[in-house]
């Protein structure tokens, strides 16, 4: 799996949280960090889109994180992840920059994902995504990490 994200994770505590879950993921999640774009908002989105699309493997299933994307429960996301992986196409998650994703990235995406209607900082979204991917794997494996909805 791959995560393509605009912006570099600089804060040690944020990086530590991401690393905490990356160590546990099987298959592993490769993270590609892209520099923030420069220029007008439209120019930034266009340049970031070029870099994002170049970083997504040709046969991957691009999953764009977007405020207009689909929301999932953790269990539904786990089921969806299994479905995506069963297709043989590697999921490639995409987190855009501060200006959002260009239409070309959303057009390339085979799926979209939203963490709700609230606006989240991009670095926090990265942490939340990596944790949810780990949670999805734990749910699929029957691991007790995810306890919600289980009888005591």
């Amino acid at each position: 799996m791959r995560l393509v994200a605009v912006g570099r994770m600089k804060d040690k505590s944020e990086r530590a949280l991401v690393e905490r879950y990356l160590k546990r993921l099987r298959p592993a999640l490769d993270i590609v960090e892209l520099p923030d774009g420069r220029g007008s908002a439209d120019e930034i989105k266009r340049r970031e889109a070029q870099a994002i699309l170049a970083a997504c493997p040709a046969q991957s299933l691009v999953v764009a994180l977007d405020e207009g994307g689909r929301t999932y429960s953790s269990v539904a996301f786990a089921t969806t992840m299994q479905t995506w992986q069963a297709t043989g196409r590697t999921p490639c998650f995409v987190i855009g920059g501060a200006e959002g994703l260009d239409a070309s990235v959303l057009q390339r995406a085979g799926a979209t994902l939203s963490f709700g209607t609230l606006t989240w900082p991009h670095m926090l979204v990265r942490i939340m995504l990596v944790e949810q991917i780990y949670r999805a794997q734990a749910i699929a494996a029957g691991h007790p990490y995810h306890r919600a909805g289980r009888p005591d």
Side-chain angles (χ1 to χ4, degrees), residues 123-146:
M123 296 307 163
L124 188 53
V125 168
R126 193 180 307 190
I127 294 165
M128 294 179 351
L129 175 63
V130 174
E131 189 280 338
Q132 282 299 303
I133 293 170
Y134 173 71
R135 183 176 297 274
Q137 289 182 352
I139 290 168
H143 189 277
Y145 178 80
H146 178 76

Side-chain angles (χ1 to χ4, degrees), residues 24-126:
R24 302 174 184 179
L25 291 177
R26 299 292 178 268
L29 179 68
D30 175 41
I31 297 180
V32 177
E33 292 183 321
L34 302 173
D36 293 305
R38 302 212 185 283
S40 69
D42 288 339
E43 186 65 17
I44 288 170
K45 285 173 70 170
R46 187 186 65 75
R47 287 182 182 175
E48 288 176 352
Q50 289 174 336
I52 288 168
L53 293 173
C56 294
Q59 298 303 317
S60 65
L61 172 67
V62 174
V63 180
L65 275 81
D66 183 70
E67 66 184 357
R70 182 173 173 191
T71 58
Y72 294 87
S73 69
S74 293
V75 172
F77 183 63
T79 301
T80 301
M81 285 277 300
Q82 287 180 302
T83 301
W84 290 341
Q85 290 175 321
T87 67
R89 295 174 64 202
T90 303
C92 182
F93 297 93
V94 172
I95 301 173
E99 300 298 335
L101 292 170
D102 187 72
S104 62
V105 176
L106 294 173
Q107 288 169 355
R108 166 72 170 83
T112 57
L113 172 63
S114 173
F115 285 135
T117 56
L118 296 172
T119 301
W120 298 98
H122 287 82
M123 296 307 163
L124 188 53
V125 168
R126 193 180 307 190

